[in-house]
Coordinates of all heavy atoms in Angstrom, one line a residue:
M964 N -14.8 -24.0 -23.1 CA -15.8 -23.3 -22.2 C -16.2 -24.1 -21.0 O -16.4 -23.7 -19.9 CB -17.1 -23.0 -23.1 CG -18.0 -22.0 -22.5 SD -17.2 -20.4 -22.1 CE -18.3 -19.7 -21.0
R965 N -16.3 -25.5 -21.3 CA -16.6 -26.3 -20.1 C -15.5 -26.3 -19.1 O -15.8 -26.3 -17.9 CB -16.8 -27.8 -20.6 CG -17.2 -28.7 -19.5 CD -17.6 -30.0 -20.1 NE -18.9 -29.9 -20.9 CZ -19.5 -30.9 -21.5 NH1 -18.9 -32.1 -21.5 NH2 -20.6 -30.8 -22.2
D966 N -14.3 -26.2 -19.5 CA -13.2 -26.1 -18.5 C -13.3 -24.9 -17.7 O -13.1 -24.9 -16.5 CB -11.8 -26.1 -19.3 CG -11.5 -27.5 -19.8 OD1 -12.2 -28.5 -19.4 OD2 -10.6 -27.7 -20.6
L967 N -13.7 -23.8 -18.3 CA -13.8 -22.5 -17.6 C -14.9 -22.6 -16.5 O -14.7 -22.2 -15.4 CB -14.1 -21.4 -18.6 CG -14.3 -20.0 -18.0 CD1 -13.0 -19.5 -17.3 CD2 -14.7 -19.0 -19.1
E968 N -16.0 -23.2 -16.9 CA -17.1 -23.3 -16.0 C -16.7 -24.1 -14.8 O -17.0 -23.8 -13.7 CB -18.3 -24.0 -16.7 CG -19.1 -23.1 -17.6 CD -19.8 -21.9 -16.9 OE1 -20.3 -22.2 -15.8 OE2 -19.8 -20.9 -17.5
H969 N -16.0 -25.2 -15.1 CA -15.5 -26.1 -14.1 C -14.6 -25.3 -13.1 O -14.8 -25.4 -11.9 CB -14.8 -27.2 -14.7 CG -14.2 -28.2 -13.7 ND1 -15.1 -29.1 -13.0 CD2 -13.0 -28.5 -13.2 CE1 -14.3 -29.8 -12.1 NE2 -13.1 -29.4 -12.3
W970 N -13.7 -24.5 -13.6 CA -12.8 -23.8 -12.8 C -13.5 -22.8 -11.9 O -13.2 -22.6 -10.8 CB -11.7 -23.1 -13.7 CG -10.8 -22.3 -12.9 CD1 -9.6 -22.7 -12.3 CD2 -10.9 -20.9 -12.6 NE1 -9.0 -21.7 -11.6 CE2 -9.8 -20.6 -11.8 CE3 -11.8 -19.9 -12.8 CZ2 -9.5 -19.3 -11.2 CZ3 -11.6 -18.6 -12.3 CH2 -10.5 -18.4 -11.6
R971 N -14.5 -22.1 -12.5 CA -15.2 -21.1 -11.8 C -16.0 -21.7 -10.7 O -16.0 -21.2 -9.5 CB -16.2 -20.4 -12.8 CG -15.4 -19.4 -13.6 CD -16.2 -19.1 -14.9 NE -17.4 -18.2 -14.6 CZ -18.2 -17.8 -15.5 NH1 -17.9 -18.1 -16.8 NH2 -19.2 -17.0 -15.3
R972 N -16.6 -22.9 -10.9 CA -17.4 -23.5 -9.8 C -16.4 -24.0 -8.7 O -16.7 -23.8 -7.5 CB -18.2 -24.7 -10.3 CG -19.3 -24.3 -11.1 CD -20.0 -25.5 -11.8 NE -20.8 -25.1 -13.0 CZ -22.0 -24.5 -12.9 NH1 -22.5 -24.3 -11.7 NH2 -22.7 -24.2 -14.0
K973 N -15.3 -24.5 -9.1 CA -14.4 -25.1 -8.1 C -13.8 -23.9 -7.3 O -13.8 -24.0 -6.1 CB -13.3 -25.7 -8.9 CG -12.5 -26.7 -8.0 CD -11.5 -27.5 -8.9 CE -10.1 -27.4 -8.4 NZ -9.1 -27.9 -9.2
N974 N -13.5 -22.8 -7.9 CA -12.9 -21.7 -7.3 C -13.9 -21.0 -6.3 O -13.5 -20.7 -5.2 CB -12.5 -20.6 -8.3 CG -11.8 -19.4 -7.7 OD1 -12.5 -18.4 -7.5 ND2 -10.6 -19.6 -7.4
R975 N -15.1 -21.0 -6.7 CA -16.1 -20.4 -5.9 C -16.4 -21.2 -4.6 O -16.5 -20.7 -3.5 CB -17.4 -20.3 -6.7 CG -18.7 -19.8 -6.0 CD -19.9 -20.0 -6.9 NE -21.1 -19.8 -6.2 CZ -21.8 -18.7 -6.1 NH1 -21.3 -17.7 -6.8 NH2 -22.9 -18.6 -5.4
R976 N -16.5 -22.5 -4.8 CA -16.7 -23.4 -3.7 C -15.6 -23.3 -2.6 O -15.8 -23.3 -1.5 CB -16.9 -24.9 -4.2 CG -17.4 -25.8 -3.1 CD -18.1 -27.0 -3.7 NE -17.2 -27.6 -4.7 CZ -17.5 -27.9 -5.9 NH1 -18.7 -27.7 -6.4 NH2 -16.7 -28.5 -6.7
R977 N -14.4 -23.4 -3.1 CA -13.3 -23.3 -2.2 C -13.2 -22.0 -1.4 O -13.0 -22.0 -0.2 CB -12.0 -23.5 -3.0 CG -10.7 -23.5 -2.1 CD -9.5 -23.8 -2.9 NE -9.3 -22.8 -3.9 CZ -8.8 -23.1 -5.1 NH1 -8.4 -24.2 -5.4 NH2 -8.6 -22.1 -6.0
R978 N -13.5 -20.9 -2.1 CA -13.5 -19.7 -1.4 C -14.6 -19.6 -0.3 O -14.4 -19.1 0.8 CB -13.7 -18.5 -2.4 CG -13.4 -17.2 -1.9 CD -13.1 -16.2 -3.0 NE -14.2 -16.3 -4.1 CZ -15.4 -15.8 -3.9 NH1 -15.8 -15.3 -2.8 NH2 -16.3 -15.9 -4.9
L979 N -15.8 -20.2 -0.6 CA -16.9 -20.1 0.3 C -16.6 -21.0 1.5 O -16.9 -20.7 2.6 CB -18.2 -20.5 -0.3 CG -18.7 -19.5 -1.4 CD1 -19.9 -20.0 -2.0 CD2 -18.9 -18.1 -0.7
D980 N -15.9 -22.1 1.3 CA -15.6 -23.0 2.3 C -14.7 -22.3 3.3 O -14.8 -22.4 4.5 CB -14.8 -24.3 1.8 CG -15.8 -25.2 1.2 OD1 -17.0 -25.0 1.4 OD2 -15.4 -26.2 0.5
L981 N -13.7 -21.5 2.8 CA -12.8 -20.9 3.7 C -13.5 -19.8 4.4 O -13.2 -19.5 5.6 CB -11.7 -20.2 2.8 CG -10.6 -21.2 2.3 CD1 -9.7 -20.5 1.3 CD2 -9.9 -21.8 3.4
A982 N -14.4 -19.1 3.8 CA -15.0 -17.9 4.4 C -16.0 -18.3 5.4 O -16.3 -17.6 6.4 CB -15.6 -17.0 3.4
R983 N -16.7 -19.5 5.2 CA -17.7 -20.0 6.1 C -18.8 -18.9 6.3 O -19.2 -18.6 7.4 CB -17.2 -20.4 7.5 CG -16.2 -21.5 7.4 CD -15.7 -21.9 8.8 NE -14.6 -22.8 8.7 CZ -14.7 -24.1 8.4 NH1 -15.8 -24.6 8.2 NH2 -13.6 -24.9 8.3
V984 N -19.3 -18.4 5.2 CA -20.4 -17.4 5.3 C -21.7 -18.1 5.0 O -21.8 -19.2 4.5 CB -20.2 -16.3 4.3 CG1 -18.9 -15.5 4.6 CG2 -20.1 -16.9 2.9
A985 N -22.8 -17.4 5.4 CA -24.1 -17.9 5.0 C -24.2 -18.0 3.5 O -23.7 -17.1 2.8 CB -25.2 -17.0 5.6
S986 N -24.9 -19.0 3.0 CA -25.0 -19.1 1.6 C -26.4 -19.6 1.2 O -26.9 -20.5 1.8 CB -23.9 -20.1 1.1 OG -24.0 -20.3 -0.3
E987 N -27.0 -18.9 0.2 CA -28.3 -19.4 -0.3 C -28.1 -19.4 -1.8 O -27.5 -18.6 -2.4 CB -29.4 -18.4 0.1 CG -29.8 -18.4 1.5 CD -30.8 -17.3 1.8 OE1 -31.5 -16.8 0.9 OE2 -30.8 -16.8 2.9
P988 N -28.8 -20.5 -2.4 CA -28.6 -20.6 -3.8 C -29.3 -19.5 -4.6 O -30.3 -19.0 -4.2 CB -29.3 -21.9 -4.2 CG -30.2 -22.1 -3.0 CD -29.6 -21.5 -1.8
Y989 N -28.6 -19.0 -5.6 CA -29.2 -18.0 -6.5 C -28.5 -18.1 -7.9 O -27.5 -18.7 -7.9 CB -29.1 -16.6 -6.0 CG -27.6 -16.1 -5.8 CD1 -26.9 -15.7 -6.9 CD2 -27.0 -16.2 -4.5 CE1 -25.5 -15.3 -6.7 CE2 -25.7 -15.9 -4.4 CZ -25.0 -15.4 -5.4 OH -23.7 -15.1 -5.3
T990 N -29.2 -17.6 -8.9 CA -28.5 -17.6 -10.2 C -28.3 -16.2 -10.7 O -29.0 -15.3 -10.3 CB -29.4 -18.4 -11.2 OG1 -30.6 -17.7 -11.5 CG2 -29.7 -19.8 -10.7
L991 N -27.4 -16.1 -11.6 CA -27.2 -14.8 -12.2 C -28.5 -14.2 -12.8 O -28.8 -13.1 -12.7 CB -26.1 -14.9 -13.3 CG -25.8 -13.6 -14.1 CD1 -25.3 -12.5 -13.2 CD2 -24.8 -13.9 -15.2
V992 N -29.2 -15.1 -13.5 CA -30.4 -14.6 -14.2 C -31.5 -14.1 -13.2 O -32.2 -13.1 -13.3 CB -31.0 -15.8 -15.0 CG1 -32.4 -15.4 -15.5 CG2 -30.1 -16.1 -16.2
E993 N -31.6 -14.8 -12.0 CA -32.6 -14.4 -11.0 C -32.2 -13.0 -10.5 O -33.1 -12.1 -10.3 CB -32.5 -15.4 -9.8 CG -33.2 -16.7 -10.0 CD -33.0 -17.7 -8.9 OE1 -32.3 -17.3 -7.9 OE2 -33.4 -18.8 -9.1
I994 N -30.9 -12.8 -10.2 CA -30.5 -11.5 -9.7 C -30.7 -10.4 -10.7 O -31.1 -9.3 -10.5 CB -29.0 -11.6 -9.3 CG1 -28.8 -12.7 -8.2 CG2 -28.5 -10.2 -8.7 CD1 -29.7 -12.5 -7.0
A995 N -30.4 -10.8 -12.0 CA -30.5 -9.8 -13.1 C -31.9 -9.4 -13.3 O -32.3 -8.2 -13.5 CB -30.0 -10.4 -14.4
E996 N -32.9 -10.4 -13.2 CA -34.3 -10.0 -13.3 C -34.8 -9.1 -12.2 O -35.4 -8.2 -12.4 CB -35.1 -11.4 -13.3 CG -35.1 -12.1 -14.6 CD -35.9 -13.4 -14.6 OE1 -36.4 -13.8 -13.5 OE2 -36.0 -14.0 -15.7
R997 N -34.3 -9.5 -11.0 CA -34.7 -8.7 -9.8 C -34.2 -7.3 -9.9 O -34.9 -6.3 -9.6 CB -34.1 -9.3 -8.6 CG -34.5 -8.6 -7.3 CD -33.6 -9.0 -6.1 NE -32.3 -8.4 -6.3 CZ -31.2 -8.7 -5.5 NH1 -31.4 -9.5 -4.5 NH2 -30.0 -8.2 -5.9
D998 N -33.0 -7.1 -10.5 CA -32.4 -5.8 -10.6 C -32.8 -5.1 -11.9 O -32.2 -4.0 -12.3 CB -30.9 -5.9 -10.5 CG -30.5 -6.3 -9.0 OD1 -31.4 -6.1 -8.1 OD2 -29.3 -6.7 -8.8
G999 N -33.7 -5.6 -12.7 CA -34.2 -5.0 -13.9 C -33.2 -5.0 -15.0 O -33.2 -4.1 -15.9
F1000 N -32.3 -5.9 -15.0 CA -31.2 -6.1 -16.0 C -30.4 -4.8 -16.1 O -29.9 -4.4 -17.2 CB -31.8 -6.4 -17.4 CG -32.5 -7.8 -17.4 CD1 -33.9 -7.9 -17.2 CD2 -31.7 -9.0 -17.5 CE1 -34.5 -9.2 -17.1 CE2 -32.3 -10.2 -17.4 CZ -33.7 -10.3 -17.3
C1001 N -30.3 -4.1 -15.0 CA -29.4 -2.9 -15.0 C -28.3 -3.0 -14.0 O -28.5 -3.6 -12.9 CB -30.2 -1.6 -14.6 SG -31.3 -1.1 -16.0
C1002 N -27.1 -2.6 -14.4 CA -26.0 -2.6 -13.5 C -26.3 -1.7 -12.3 O -26.7 -0.6 -12.4 CB -24.8 -2.1 -14.2 SG -23.3 -1.9 -13.2
Q1003 N -26.1 -2.3 -11.1 CA -26.4 -1.6 -9.8 C -25.3 -0.6 -9.4 O -25.4 0.1 -8.4 CB -26.8 -2.5 -8.7 CG -28.0 -3.4 -9.0 CD -29.3 -2.6 -9.3 OE1 -29.7 -1.9 -8.4 NE2 -29.7 -2.6 -10.6
I1004 N -24.2 -0.6 -10.2 CA -23.2 0.3 -9.8 C -23.2 1.6 -10.8 O -23.2 2.7 -10.3 CB -21.8 -0.4 -10.0 CG1 -21.7 -1.5 -9.0 CG2 -20.6 0.6 -9.8 CD1 -20.4 -2.3 -9.1
C1005 N -23.4 1.4 -12.1 CA -23.4 2.5 -13.0 C -24.9 2.8 -13.5 O -25.1 3.8 -14.1 CB -22.5 2.3 -14.2 SG -23.1 1.1 -15.4
R1006 N -25.8 1.8 -13.2 CA -27.2 2.0 -13.5 C -27.6 1.9 -15.0 O -28.7 2.2 -15.4 CB -27.8 3.3 -13.0 CG -27.6 3.5 -11.5 CD -28.6 2.6 -10.7 NE -28.2 2.5 -9.3 CZ -28.9 1.8 -8.4 NH1 -30.0 1.2 -8.8 NH2 -28.5 1.7 -7.2
D1007 N -26.6 1.5 -15.8 CA -26.8 1.3 -17.2 C -27.3 -0.2 -17.4 O -27.0 -1.0 -16.6 CB -25.6 1.5 -18.1 CG -25.3 3.0 -18.3 OD1 -26.2 3.8 -18.1 OD2 -24.2 3.4 -18.6
P1008 N -28.1 -0.4 -18.6 CA -28.5 -1.7 -18.8 C -27.4 -2.7 -19.0 O -26.3 -2.3 -19.5 CB -29.3 -1.6 -20.1 CG -29.6 -0.1 -20.2 CD -28.5 0.6 -19.5
V1009 N -27.6 -3.9 -18.7 CA -26.6 -5.0 -18.9 C -27.1 -5.9 -20.0 O -28.2 -6.4 -20.0 CB -26.4 -5.8 -17.6 CG1 -25.4 -7.0 -17.8 CG2 -25.9 -4.9 -16.5
D1010 N -26.2 -6.2 -21.0 CA -26.5 -7.1 -22.0 C -26.2 -8.5 -21.6 O -25.1 -9.0 -21.4 CB -25.7 -6.8 -23.3 CG -26.1 -7.6 -24.5 OD1 -26.8 -8.6 -24.3 OD2 -25.6 -7.3 -25.6
M1011 N -27.3 -9.3 -21.3 CA -27.2 -10.7 -20.8 C -26.6 -11.6 -21.8 O -26.2 -12.7 -21.4 CB -28.5 -11.2 -20.3 CG -29.2 -10.4 -19.2 SD -28.2 -10.3 -17.7 CE -28.3 -12.0 -17.1
K1012 N -26.5 -11.2 -23.1 CA -25.9 -12.1 -24.1 C -24.3 -12.1 -24.0 O -23.7 -13.0 -24.6 CB -26.3 -11.7 -25.5 CG -27.8 -11.9 -25.7 CD -28.2 -11.8 -27.2 CE -28.0 -10.4 -27.7 NZ -28.8 -9.4 -27.0
L1013 N -23.8 -11.1 -23.4 CA -22.3 -11.0 -23.3 C -21.9 -12.0 -22.2 O -22.5 -12.3 -21.2 CB -21.9 -9.6 -22.9 CG -22.2 -8.5 -23.9 CD1 -21.7 -7.2 -23.4 CD2 -21.5 -8.8 -25.3
V1014 N -20.7 -12.5 -22.5 CA -20.1 -13.6 -21.6 C -18.8 -13.1 -21.0 O -18.0 -12.6 -21.8 CB -20.0 -14.9 -22.3 CG1 -19.4 -16.0 -21.4 CG2 -21.3 -15.4 -22.8
W1015 N -18.6 -13.3 -19.8 CA -17.3 -13.0 -19.2 C -16.2 -13.7 -20.0 O -16.4 -14.9 -20.3 CB -17.3 -13.5 -17.7 CG -16.1 -13.3 -17.0 CD1 -15.7 -12.2 -16.2 CD2 -15.0 -14.2 -16.8 NE1 -14.5 -12.4 -15.6 CE2 -14.0 -13.6 -16.0 CE3 -14.7 -15.5 -17.3 CZ2 -12.8 -14.2 -15.6 CZ3 -13.5 -16.1 -16.9 CH2 -12.6 -15.5 -16.1
P1016 N -15.0 -13.1 -20.3 CA -14.5 -11.9 -19.7 C -14.7 -10.6 -20.5 O -13.9 -9.6 -20.4 CB -13.0 -12.2 -19.6 CG -12.8 -13.0 -20.8 CD -14.0 -13.8 -21.0
K1017 N -15.8 -10.5 -21.3 CA -16.1 -9.3 -22.0 C -16.3 -8.2 -20.9 O -17.0 -8.5 -19.9 CB -17.3 -9.4 -22.9 CG -17.0 -10.2 -24.1 CD -18.0 -9.8 -25.2 CE -17.9 -10.5 -26.5 NZ -16.6 -11.2 -26.8
L1018 N -15.9 -7.0 -21.1 CA -15.9 -5.9 -20.1 C -17.4 -5.6 -19.6 O -17.6 -5.3 -18.5 CB -15.3 -4.7 -20.6 CG -13.8 -4.7 -20.8 CD1 -13.3 -3.4 -21.2 CD2 -13.1 -5.1 -19.4
W1019 N -18.3 -5.8 -20.6 CA -19.7 -5.4 -20.2 C -20.6 -6.6 -19.9 O -21.8 -6.5 -19.9 CB -20.3 -4.5 -21.3 CG -19.5 -3.3 -21.5 CD1 -18.6 -3.0 -22.5 CD2 -19.4 -2.1 -20.6 NE1 -18.0 -1.8 -22.3 CE2 -18.5 -1.3 -21.2 CE3 -20.1 -1.8 -19.4 CZ2 -18.1 0.0 -20.6 CZ3 -19.7 -0.6 -18.8 CH2 -18.8 0.3 -19.4
A1020 N -20.0 -7.7 -19.7 CA -20.7 -8.9 -19.3 C -21.3 -8.8 -18.0 O -20.8 -8.1 -17.1 CB -19.8 -10.1 -19.4
P1021 N -22.5 -9.5 -17.8 CA -23.1 -9.4 -16.4 C -22.3 -10.2 -15.4 O -21.8 -11.3 -15.7 CB -24.5 -10.1 -16.7 CG -24.3 -11.0 -17.9 CD -23.2 -10.3 -18.7
T1022 N -22.1 -9.7 -14.2 CA -21.5 -10.4 -13.2 C -22.3 -10.2 -11.9 O -23.0 -9.3 -11.7 CB -20.0 -9.9 -12.9 OG1 -20.0 -8.6 -12.6 CG2 -19.2 -10.2 -14.1
I1023 N -22.0 -11.0 -10.9 CA -22.5 -10.9 -9.6 C -21.6 -10.1 -8.7 O -20.4 -10.4 -8.5 CB -22.8 -12.3 -8.9 CG1 -23.9 -13.0 -9.7 CG2 -23.1 -12.1 -7.4 CD1 -25.3 -12.4 -9.4
D1024 N -22.1 -9.0 -8.1 CA -21.3 -8.2 -7.3 C -21.8 -8.4 -5.8 O -23.0 -8.2 -5.6 CB -21.4 -6.7 -7.6 CG -20.8 -5.8 -6.6 OD1 -19.6 -6.1 -6.3 OD2 -21.4 -4.8 -6.2
H1025 N -21.0 -8.7 -4.9 CA -21.3 -8.8 -3.5 C -21.3 -7.4 -2.9 O -20.3 -6.7 -2.9 CB -20.4 -9.7 -2.8 CG -20.7 -11.2 -3.1 ND1 -20.2 -11.8 -4.2 CD2 -21.4 -12.1 -2.4 CE1 -20.6 -13.1 -4.2 NE2 -21.3 -13.3 -3.2
V1026 N -22.4 -7.0 -2.3 CA -22.6 -5.6 -1.8 C -21.5 -5.5 -0.6 O -20.7 -4.6 -0.5 CB -24.0 -5.3 -1.3 CG1 -24.0 -3.9 -0.6 CG2 -24.9 -5.4 -2.5
V1027 N -21.6 -6.5 0.3 CA -20.6 -6.6 1.4 C -19.7 -7.7 0.9 O -20.2 -8.9 0.8 CB -21.2 -6.9 2.8 CG1 -20.1 -7.1 3.8 CG2 -22.1 -5.8 3.2
P1028 N -18.4 -7.5 0.6 CA -17.6 -8.6 0.1 C -17.5 -9.8 1.0 O -17.6 -9.6 2.2 CB -16.2 -7.9 0.0 CG -16.4 -6.5 0.0 CD -17.7 -6.2 0.8
V1029 N -17.5 -10.9 0.4 CA -17.5 -12.2 1.2 C -16.3 -12.2 2.1 O -16.4 -12.6 3.2 CB -17.5 -13.4 0.2 CG1 -17.2 -14.7 1.0 CG2 -18.7 -13.5 -0.6
V1030 N -15.2 -11.7 1.6 CA -14.0 -11.6 2.4 C -14.1 -10.7 3.6 O -13.4 -10.8 4.6 CB -12.7 -11.2 1.6 CG1 -12.3 -12.2 0.7 CG2 -13.0 -9.9 0.9
A1031 N -15.1 -9.8 3.6 CA -15.3 -8.9 4.7 C -16.5 -9.4 5.6 O -17.1 -8.7 6.4 CB -15.7 -7.5 4.2
G1032 N -16.9 -10.7 5.3 CA -18.0 -11.3 6.1 C -19.4 -11.2 5.5 O -20.3 -11.5 6.2
G1033 N -19.4 -10.7 4.3 CA -20.7 -10.7 3.6 C -21.2 -12.0 3.3 O -20.5 -13.0 3.1
D1034 N -22.6 -12.2 3.3 CA -23.2 -13.4 2.9 C -23.2 -13.7 1.4 O -23.4 -12.7 0.7 CB -24.6 -13.5 3.5 CG -24.6 -13.5 5.0 OD1 -23.6 -13.9 5.6 OD2 -25.6 -13.1 5.6
D1035 N -23.2 -14.9 1.0 CA -23.4 -15.3 -0.4 C -24.9 -15.6 -0.5 O -25.3 -16.7 -0.7 CB -22.5 -16.4 -0.7 CG -22.5 -16.7 -2.3 OD1 -22.5 -15.7 -3.0 OD2 -22.5 -17.8 -2.7
T1036 N -25.7 -14.6 -0.4 CA -27.1 -14.8 -0.5 C -27.7 -13.7 -1.5 O -27.0 -12.7 -1.7 CB -27.8 -14.6 0.9 OG1 -27.5 -13.2 1.3 CG2 -27.2 -15.5 1.9
P1037 N -28.9 -13.9 -2.0 CA -29.5 -12.9 -2.9 C -29.6 -11.5 -2.2 O -29.5 -10.5 -3.0 CB -30.9 -13.5 -3.2 CG -30.7 -15.0 -3.0 CD -29.7 -15.1 -1.9
A1038 N -29.7 -11.5 -0.9 CA -29.9 -10.2 -0.3 C -28.6 -9.4 -0.3 O -28.6 -8.2 -0.2 CB -30.3 -10.4 1.2
N1039 N -27.5 -10.1 -0.5 CA -26.2 -9.4 -0.5 C -25.5 -9.3 -1.8 O -24.3 -8.9 -1.9 CB -25.3 -10.1 0.6 CG -24.0 -9.3 0.8 OD1 -24.0 -8.1 1.0 ND2 -22.8 -9.9 0.8
V1040 N -26.2 -9.6 -2.9 CA -25.6 -9.5 -4.2 C -26.5 -8.6 -5.1 O -27.7 -8.4 -4.9 CB -25.5 -10.9 -4.9 CG1 -24.5 -11.8 -4.1 CG2 -26.8 -11.6 -5.1
Q1041 N -25.8 -8.1 -6.1 CA -26.5 -7.3 -7.1 C -25.8 -7.5 -8.5 O -24.7 -8.0 -8.6 CB -26.4 -5.8 -6.7 CG -24.9 -5.3 -6.6 CD -24.8 -3.9 -6.1 OE1 -25.8 -3.3 -5.6 NE2 -23.6 -3.4 -6.0
L1042 N -26.6 -7.1 -9.5 CA -26.1 -7.3 -10.9 C -25.1 -6.1 -11.2 O -25.4 -5.0 -10.8 CB -27.3 -7.2 -11.8 CG -27.0 -7.4 -13.3 CD1 -26.4 -8.8 -13.6 CD2 -28.2 -7.1 -14.2
A1043 N -24.0 -6.4 -11.8 CA -23.1 -5.4 -12.2 C -22.3 -5.8 -13.4 O -22.1 -7.0 -13.6 CB -22.1 -5.2 -11.0
H1044 N -21.9 -4.8 -14.2 CA -21.0 -5.1 -15.3 C -19.7 -5.6 -14.8 O -19.3 -5.2 -13.7 CB -20.7 -3.8 -16.1 CG -21.9 -3.3 -16.8 ND1 -22.4 -2.0 -16.5 CD2 -22.7 -3.7 -17.8 CE1 -23.4 -1.7 -17.3 NE2 -23.6 -2.8 -18.1
F1045 N -19.1 -6.5 -15.6 CA -17.8 -7.0 -15.2 C -16.8 -5.9 -14.9 O -16.1 -5.8 -13.9 CB -17.3 -7.9 -16.3 CG -15.9 -8.4 -16.1 CD1 -15.5 -9.0 -15.0 CD2 -14.9 -8.2 -17.1 CE1 -14.2 -9.5 -14.8 CE2 -13.6 -8.7 -17.0 CZ -13.3 -9.3 -15.8
V1046 N -16.8 -4.9 -15.8 CA -15.9 -3.8 -15.7 C -16.2 -2.9 -14.4 O -15.3 -2.4 -13.7 CB -15.9 -2.9 -16.9 CG1 -17.2 -2.2 -17.2 CG2 -14.8 -1.9 -16.9
C1047 N -17.5 -2.7 -14.1 CA -17.9 -1.9 -12.9 C -17.5 -2.6 -11.7 O -17.0 -2.1 -10.7 CB -19.4 -1.6 -12.9 SG -19.9 -0.6 -14.3
N1048 N -17.8 -3.9 -11.7 CA -17.4 -4.8 -10.6 C -15.9 -4.7 -10.3 O -15.5 -4.6 -9.1 CB -17.8 -6.2 -10.9 CG -18.0 -7.1 -9.7 OD1 -17.6 -6.8 -8.6 ND2 -18.6 -8.2 -9.9
S1049 N -15.1 -4.8 -11.4 CA -13.7 -4.7 -11.2 C -13.2 -3.3 -10.6 O -12.3 -3.3 -9.8 CB -13.0 -5.0 -12.5 OG -13.4 -6.2 -13.1
R1050 N -13.8 -2.3 -11.2 CA -13.5 -1.0 -10.7 C -13.7 -0.7 -9.3 O -13.2 0.2 -8.7 CB -14.2 0.1 -11.6 CG -13.6 0.3 -12.9 CD -14.3 1.5 -13.5 NE -14.0 1.6 -15.0 CZ -14.9 1.8 -15.9 NH1 -16.2 2.1 -15.5 NH2 -14.6 1.9 -17.2
K1051 N -14.7 -1.4 -8.7 CA -15.1 -1.1 -7.3 C -13.9 -1.3 -6.4 O -13.9 -0.8 -5.3 CB -16.2 -2.1 -6.9 CG -17.5 -1.4 -6.4 CD -18.5 -2.4 -6.1 CE -18.3 -3.0 -4.7 NZ -19.3 -3.8 -4.3
G1052 N -13.0 -2.1 -6.8 CA -11.8 -2.2 -6.0 C -11.7 -3.4 -5.1 O -10.7 -3.9 -4.7
G1053 N -12.9 -4.1 -4.9 CA -13.0 -5.3 -4.2 C -12.5 -6.4 -5.1 O -12.1 -6.2 -6.2
R1054 N -12.6 -7.6 -4.6 CA -12.2 -8.7 -5.4 C -13.3 -9.1 -6.4 O -14.5 -8.8 -6.1 CB -11.8 -10.0 -4.6 CG -12.6 -10.2 -3.4 CD -12.0 -11.3 -2.6 NE -11.9 -12.5 -3.4 CZ -10.9 -13.4 -3.2 NH1 -10.1 -13.3 -2.2 NH2 -10.8 -14.5 -3.9
L1055 N -12.9 -9.6 -7.5 CA -13.9 -9.9 -8.5 C -14.7 -11.2 -8.1 O -14.2 -12.2 -7.7 CB -13.2 -10.2 -9.8 CG -14.1 -10.7 -11.0 CD1 -15.1 -9.6 -11.4 CD2 -13.3 -11.1 -12.1
E1056 N -16.1 -11.0 -8.2 CA -16.9 -12.1 -7.9 C -17.4 -12.7 -9.2 O -18.2 -12.1 -9.9 CB -18.1 -11.7 -7.0 CG -17.7 -11.0 -5.7 CD -16.9 -12.0 -4.8 OE1 -17.0 -13.2 -5.0 OE2 -16.3 -11.5 -3.8
L1057 N -17.0 -13.9 -9.5 CA -17.5 -14.5 -10.7 C -18.9 -15.1 -10.5 O -19.1 -15.8 -9.5 CB -16.5 -15.6 -11.1 CG -15.1 -15.2 -11.5 CD1 -14.2 -16.3 -11.8 CD2 -15.1 -14.2 -12.6
A1058 N -19.7 -14.9 -11.5 CA -21.1 -15.4 -11.4 C -21.0 -16.9 -11.8 O -20.2 -17.4 -12.6 CB -22.0 -14.7 -12.4
S1059 N -21.8 -17.7 -11.1 CA -21.8 -19.1 -11.4 C -23.0 -19.4 -12.3 O -23.9 -18.6 -12.5 CB -22.0 -19.9 -10.1 OG -23.3 -19.6 -9.5
Ligands
LIG1036 ZN1 -22.1 -0.9 -14.8

């Protein structure tokens, strides 16, 4: 599990360096609380006890994808199920 966390952080940092987007710190829990623990894509509740890669695990979805110039800030992210996030067609944003 520690290896996975390490990979996720490393991957995220490298991607943001390349994109050079605005970035503000946030956590998955903060975003989940703000969004009422409901997926902002399908509007169903999200079980915060589930852990990626379970399909219904909570993930961070960028409203405007980082690759499209979206910021990595609380204003541009929302809570989404892993499966909903994947279905959107954009790239998967792993929560840190
Ligand atoms: Zn959903």
Side-chain angles (χ1 to χ4, degrees):
M964 196 56 195
R965 181 169 293 177
D966 286 348
L967 179 63
E968 285 294 323
H969 179 73
W970 179 85
R971 284 158 73 177
R972 288 175 201 282
K973 202 172 126 191
N974 183 260
R975 174 188 168 99
R976 188 160 53 234
R977 183 173 59 213
R978 192 158 51 71
L979 292 179
D980 284 348
L981 285 174
R983 296 181 192 285
V984 296
S986 180
E987 285 173 27
Y989 60 82
T990 66
L991 175 64
V992 172
E993 283 171 4
I994 302 302
E996 283 179 354
R997 186 199 65 187
D998 291 344
F1000 297 98
C1001 285
C1002 171
Q1003 299 300 295
I1004 296 176
C1005 74
R1006 302 286 164 180
D1007 281 344
V1009 176
D1010 186 348
M1011 297 300 290
K1012 292 191 296 296
L1013 295 178
V1014 178
W1015 181 87
K1017 286 207 183 338
L1018 289 182
W1019 302 103
T1022 59
I1023 291 290
D1024 174 49
H1025 286 81
V1026 178
V1027 178
V1029 173
V1030 288
D1034 293 336
D1035 190 38
T1036 61
N1039 189 45
V1040 298
Q1041 60 188 5
L1042 181 66
H1044 293 117
F1045 174 53
V1046 65
C1047 295
N1048 201 344
S1049 304
R1050 276 190 197 137
K1051 238 179 76 173
R1054 35 185 310 150
L1055 175 66
E1056 304 293 345
L1057 297 178
S1059 62

